[in-house]
Amino acid sequence: MHLATPDHPINRVTLDVGQERGGESGAWAALTPDEARRLARLLLNQVGLAEESTHAG
């Protein structure tokens, strides 16, 4: 499904975190590009910390 059109572009990034128990629609977020980049940096930072603890233990 395409929501954007040339005269009405979408400038949000959507994040769908999946379905809840029972198959109901799960949580989602509509982020600005800057918010999405900040979230990506935070997630990558958490990945690095998790990898460090895995290798240290």
Side-chain angles (χ1 to χ4, degrees):
M1 175 164 71
H2 294 279
L3 299 174
T5 62
D7 58 326
H8 189 269
I10 293 177
N11 57 359
R12 305 292 272 185
V13 176
T14 58
L15 172 66
D16 181 356
V17 296
Q19 295 182 344
E20 296 178 6
R21 292 182 194 171
E24 295 294 321
S25 179
W28 64 275
L31 309 168
T32 65
D34 286 340
E35 291 169 333
R37 285 185 185 95
R38 190 168 69 235
L39 177 59
R41 282 192 295 273
L42 290 170
L43 289 170
L44 288 170
N45 184 49
Q46 292 298 308
V47 168
L49 292 172
E51 288 176 335
E52 287 175 15
S53 67
T54 300
H55 291 95

